[in-house]
Amino acid sequence: MLERQKSTRIGTTVAAYRQPNPRMLAEVAAGLSAPQKELPPKYFYDHRGSELFEEITGLPEYYPTRTERALLKSWMPHLIAELGSRTLVELGAGSAEKSRIILSAMRAAGSAGVYVPIDVSASFLTETASRLRREYPGLTVEPVVADIAEDFSPPSDLPSPALYAFLGGTIGNFYPPAAIRLLGRVRAAMRANDRFLMGVDLRKDVRRVEAAYNDSQGVTAEFNRNMLLVLNDELGSDFDPASFEHRAFYEPVNHRIEMHLVSTLEQEVQVPGIGLVHFGKGESIRTEISCKHDRSSVTELFSAAGLRLESWRPDPEVLFALAVGVRG
Ligand code: SAH
Ligand code: AVI
């Protein structure tokens, strides 16, 4: 879906843009005309954005990935042996680096059948699928390029039981009503003996969580600005990423990190199909929320989506947790 296009700039003329995706154009138009400008975080993820996220996962300040990995390593061999999962359907799979822990547990239990990684980052997903086919020769890998906020349709007739997984704390990147709709679609696809495994980033000391989104090497800042390059490539807009500053802070009322791009000057940006977009000096675009949870907020989210929280496993420092849900 989000593929950076090879385009040629001739003076100020931009040649050879694809037809813009109408949904993207509508979302960007609505987001940039709101009083608080806002863009959906899925637009971070072209191939470069996916690479930058991978880089973030290895940063010393970014505790979620290594904490979730340790939780998966200690729990998955037991959980998968107990469930006998034959299919893994994963939302927002990315590089599937941690998914391999689940797939290896399925292989060890003799139950590895089908892996369905779903992601909006098309070419990155294709690469992930090819690598997995090489690493797990007996596994059927059926990647699906889709926006999980809009449509969620795993292939039918998957071997049962299935494990649906949504790792990394990505649920936190959705506003609660959208998160509930998304989980509701997972619930609708699940059969009685299927399970839903979700990674959630937990509420904690504000300094710890803010540091994870303000890393000292500036990778998160580059990831944030990448969204403007995605817009330039997809829509032919003329954002100058250097004129926007990365800002990330904890918003305690809604228990979430907010990431913004702040215009360092008064400027106008041309977005074909939308027109000139004005930015005052210091005006920002909110590019991401990352909601932090606890056991009771996850119980509520699940129950609003028709799921029941069956198991809850935080790490010893209570930074991150794995939650397992069943049809309620
Ligand atoms: N699950 C991986 C990657 C998390 S990064 C991990 O835990 O490390 C978030 C992933 O979700 C990215 O790969 C991104 O491309 C994907 N993603 C974000 N929004 C999405 C959407 N609306 N639909 C589908 N995939 C999405
Ligand atoms: C993918 N998602 C869970 C990440 C997060 O922490 O909300 C994206 C991210 N944004 C900045 N750093 C990482």
Side-chain angles (χ1 to χ4, degrees):
M1 185 181 177
L2 293 179
E3 289 315 299
R4 186 155 299 170
Q5 187 174 13
K6 285 182 187 60
S7 58
T8 337
R9 281 176 188 270
I10 309 149
T12 53
T13 313
V14 177
Y17 282 104
R18 272 187 303 229
Q19 278 297 100
N21 173 326
R23 185 189 285 170
M24 180 177 191
L25 199 58
E27 286 172 338
V28 171
L32 293 183
S33 58
Q36 167 60 69
K37 292 181 169 63
E38 176 145 27
L39 292 168
K42 66 184 170 189
Y43 295 129
F44 287 132
Y45 299 97
D46 64 349
H47 195 275
R48 177 71 186 138
S50 295
E51 284 175 349
L52 284 166
F53 177 74
E54 280 310 297
E55 222 179 297
I56 289 173
T57 64
L59 293 169
E61 297 95 335
Y62 197 74
Y63 59 84
T65 307
R66 60 176 178 271
T67 311
E68 186 178 42
R69 185 185 304 117
L71 284 167
L72 289 165
K73 277 190 173 160
S74 72
W75 194 19
M76 286 309 106
H78 311 284
L79 183 74
I80 296 296
E82 186 188 317
L83 296 176
S85 315
R86 296 172 62 213
T87 297
L88 174 63
V89 179
E90 184 176 8
L91 284 69
S95 70
E97 187 260 330
K98 285 170 275 127
S99 327
R100 287 165 170 78
I101 300 166
I102 306 175
L103 292 170
S104 296
M106 287 165 68
R107 184 166 59 186
S111 60
V114 180
Y115 177 47
V116 183
I118 306 176
D119 208 290
V120 78
S121 189
S123 68
F124 201 75
L125 179 65
T126 305
E127 288 174 12
T128 295
S130 309
R131 271 200 302 275
L132 285 167
R133 287 189 186 103
R134 283 195 299 275
E135 289 171 37
Y136 295 86
L139 185 72
T140 303
V141 181
E142 295 186 30
V144 175
V145 179
D147 178 348
I148 52 172
E150 298 292 332
D151 37 52
F152 174 76
S153 45
S156 50
D157 298 331
L158 292 167
S160 178
L163 180 67
Y164 290 81
F166 195 21
L167 302 179
T170 306
I171 188 69
N173 300 137
F174 293 85
Y175 284 95
I180 292 165
R181 281 198 300 277
L182 194 164
L183 297 187
R185 280 195 290 276
V186 175
R187 155 74 176 75
M190 284 169 71
R191 286 159 293 187
N193 58 351
D194 293 343
R195 291 292 185 282
F196 176 55
L197 171 70
M198 186 170 82
V200 273
D201 195 12
L202 299 177
R203 296 173 190 170
K204 61 181 67 64
D205 180 74
V206 171
R207 282 162 305 182
R208 182 90 192 251
V209 74
E210 283 189 338
Y213 294 83
N214 289 287
D215 69 275
S216 54
Q217 294 169 53
V219 184
T220 310
E222 195 184 338
F223 174 72
N224 198 1
R225 287 197 195 92
N226 188 61
M227 189 181 285
L228 302 180
L229 295 175
V230 169
L231 260 59
N232 287 351
D233 289 341
E234 289 283 326
L235 302 178
S237 53
D238 61 0
F239 280 98
D240 170 18
S243 68
F244 287 84
E245 236 166 41
H246 166 73
R247 185 175 301 159
F249 58 89
Y250 194 69
E251 194 276 272
V253 175
N254 293 294
H255 309 281
R256 68 190 187 205
I257 281 286
E258 291 198 5
M259 284 213 319
H260 290 245
L261 285 167
V262 185
S263 178
T264 55
L265 47 113
E266 180 158 9
Q267 57 178 315
E268 302 212 301
V269 176
Q270 176 67 48
V271 187
I274 295 175
L276 276 182
V277 181
H278 179 268
F279 287 87
K281 184 175 175 182
E283 187 180 357
S284 76
I285 312 172
R286 182 162 52 209
T287 49
E288 184 179 69
I289 58 163
S290 192
C291 300
K292 306 308 171 192
H293 285 280
D294 58 19
R295 186 181 180 139
S296 89
S297 68
V298 169
T299 306
E300 266 177 46
L301 261 189
F302 272 18
S303 112
L307 292 164
R308 179 173 60 77
L309 182 64
E310 185 180 57
S311 315
W312 174 256
R313 295 273 175 120
D315 66 290
E317 279 190 89
V318 199
L319 298 175
F320 198 93
L322 291 176
V324 171
V326 282
R327 284 169 47 161

